[in-house]
Amino acid sequence: MKIYIAGHRGMVGSAIWRNLEKSDNNNLIGRTSKELDLKDQKAVNDFIESEKPDVIIDAAARVGGILANNEYPYQFLMENMLIQNNLINASVNNKIKKFIFLGSSCIYPKMAPQPLREEHLLTGPLEPTNEWYAIAKISGVKATESVRKQYGYDYVSLMPTNLYGPYDNFDLKTSHVLPAMIRKFHEAKLNGNKNVSLWGTGSPKREFLHVDDLAKAVRFALENELPENLYNVGYGSDLSIKELAELIQKITDHKGRIDWDPSKPDGTPRKWMDSSKLRNNGWKPSIELEDGIRATYSWFLDNVDQIKEVKINN
């Protein structure tokens, strides 16, 4: 099976690549952003027309935490829409029958009932701190749904909860909460166990899934024809940001104090996914949270010298 993985060098794309390359039956294709600009409609269409993959997996996106979403709303909205729309449109133009679109739990309303279910989509206002990225991803979900409805192609949208793992972004300006904490606690430990300042109150609750478990979900969707368009992919339980900080502090062996800054935004009060639809079809996660964070910190230590600051051009 010939499979094009868009974003194959990112945290999610590389995890999917590692999982799928274990099969001798898969011919995997990847292109770097220098080799193929996914924001260029003609270039994307020409590439898909030339390569003719059997399946396209869209793991390409501009991602970041609260700070990045607040400071670069246009890039988060426009670039993500360009990337996914070009891929979906080229797939339809070239009659690609199977497409897996990856989104985020932020597509659901800020005050949606917990746990978040697929039917909660578009039932209320979004969380303002990441609405630009969320709107882009919602448009991708509806685009794949429309293809499924109009053409009958097997287009599926997988909405993972907060992800972490090897090849994550550890840039303190643009990263998500878990990798940012790993870096903050690690650097504070090296600097004499200085106190660590964290945003908000620590009270919001979040769910975290190891990226290798998401890769297994993608493989499951690849090897099975799922009956619906949209599926949540979650760990199954959540914890407060304060509990997460204390867990990472323990794992990194930081001995200083944690200072919370309530003047900074907390974001959505709680995001806990109901993944029963996908679980009932046969998928389930296998990596325990503490084990996954320990493995991620180990990867960080092995690669800390190569980790570069990520810059966003505005």
Side-chain angles (χ1 to χ4, degrees):
M1 184 183 299
K2 194 172 186 180
I3 305 168
Y4 168 51
I5 303 174
H8 73 293
R9 286 192 173 180
M11 177 179 69
V12 172
S14 63
I16 296 169
W17 188 287
R18 290 193 303 273
N19 186 296
L20 297 182
E21 72 178 351
K22 297 173 185 176
S23 172
D24 294 334
N25 297 323
N26 292 331
N27 174 18
L28 304 182
I29 311 166
R31 293 292 184 273
T32 66
S33 57
K34 290 183 178 179
E35 294 169 329
L36 176 62
D37 182 1
L38 294 176
K39 300 187 295 296
D40 184 330
Q41 185 180 55
K42 185 178 186 304
V44 173
N45 194 77
D46 289 348
F47 169 74
I48 300 303
E49 185 178 24
S50 172
E51 291 291 339
K52 296 181 175 60
D54 300 299
V55 181
I56 292 178
I57 300 171
D58 180 9
R62 170 161 294 236
V63 298
I66 290 175
L67 179 62
N69 272 268
N70 274 336
E71 292 193 359
Y72 307 103
Y74 181 77
Q75 280 84 358
F76 274 83
L77 177 66
M78 189 57 64
E79 291 188 17
N80 281 301
M81 290 184 68
L82 284 171
I83 290 167
Q84 68 203 28
N85 290 352
N86 288 341
L87 286 168
I88 294 167
N89 189 57
S91 300
V92 173
N93 288 345
N94 292 282
K95 296 180 171 58
I96 308 299
K97 301 295 177 65
K98 195 171 186 84
F99 190 106
I100 300 174
F101 175 70
L102 295 171
S104 165
S105 60
C106 70
I107 66 170
Y108 295 111
K110 176 177 181 177
M111 302 308 295
Q114 302 289 323
L116 298 169
R117 296 185 174 88
E118 290 85 351
E119 58 264 29
H120 294 155
L121 184 64
L122 298 176
T123 59
L126 299 166
E127 160 57 40
T129 57
N130 57 21
E131 67 175 332
W132 312 103
Y133 182 74
I135 288 171
K137 287 299 179 180
I138 290 169
S139 72
V141 171
K142 301 309 285 186
T144 56
E145 182 182 356
S146 69
V147 173
R148 192 180 184 97
K149 180 178 181 180
Q150 185 169 338
Y151 297 96
Y153 294 172
D154 185 13
Y155 281 33
V156 174
S157 294
L158 300 180
M159 296 299 113
T161 189
N162 299 284
L163 299 169
Y164 69 97
Y167 299 97
D168 206 340
N169 171 21
F170 294 88
D171 184 312
L172 295 179
K173 291 184 179 179
T174 59
S175 64
H176 290 106
V177 61
L178 193 153
M181 282 187 182
I182 287 177
R183 182 165 181 170
K184 279 191 172 186
F185 281 112
H186 173 73
E187 292 183 351
K189 180 181 72 171
L190 295 184
N191 290 320
N193 285 306
K194 288 185 176 180
N195 297 339
V196 170
S197 178
L198 299 176
W199 278 28
T201 63
S203 62
K205 303 190 77 172
R206 293 290 183 271
E207 179 185 28
F208 296 92
L209 180 76
H210 195 282
V211 71
D212 287 349
D213 274 333
L214 172 62
K216 294 173 188 174
V218 171
R219 184 176 192 133
F220 183 81
L222 178 69
E223 296 176 347
N224 296 275
E225 189 166 336
L226 296 171
E228 297 181 46
N229 166 251
L230 177 60
Y231 292 88
N232 290 338
V233 187
Y235 177 64
S237 62
D238 58 1
L239 76 169
S240 72
I241 295 299
K242 183 177 184 292
E243 290 171 324
L244 175 69
E246 291 169 349
L247 176 59
I248 293 176
Q249 184 180 43
K250 180 182 77 170
I251 289 170
T252 58
D253 197 31
H254 171 260
K255 304 299 185 183
R257 190 178 68 235
I258 301 174
D259 295 324
W260 296 95
D261 183 359
S263 70
K264 302 296 186 182
D266 271 333
T268 305
R270 190 181 191 190
K271 283 201 297 185
W272 174 34
M273 306 279 275
D274 181 344
S275 305
S276 58
K277 273 177 57 175
L278 192 59
R279 286 171 181 259
N280 290 340
N281 276 280
W283 169 88
K284 65 178 181 180
S286 61
I287 301 172
E288 296 295 330
L289 181 62
E290 182 167 346
D291 294 340
I293 296 176
R294 287 190 181 279
T296 302
Y297 182 49
S298 179
W299 182 91
F300 173 84
L301 293 176
D302 290 341
N303 294 274
V304 66
D305 292 338
Q306 287 75 45
I307 292 172
K308 298 178 180 179
E309 296 293 339
V310 176
K311 292 179 170 38
I312 296 180
N313 297 320
N314 57 353

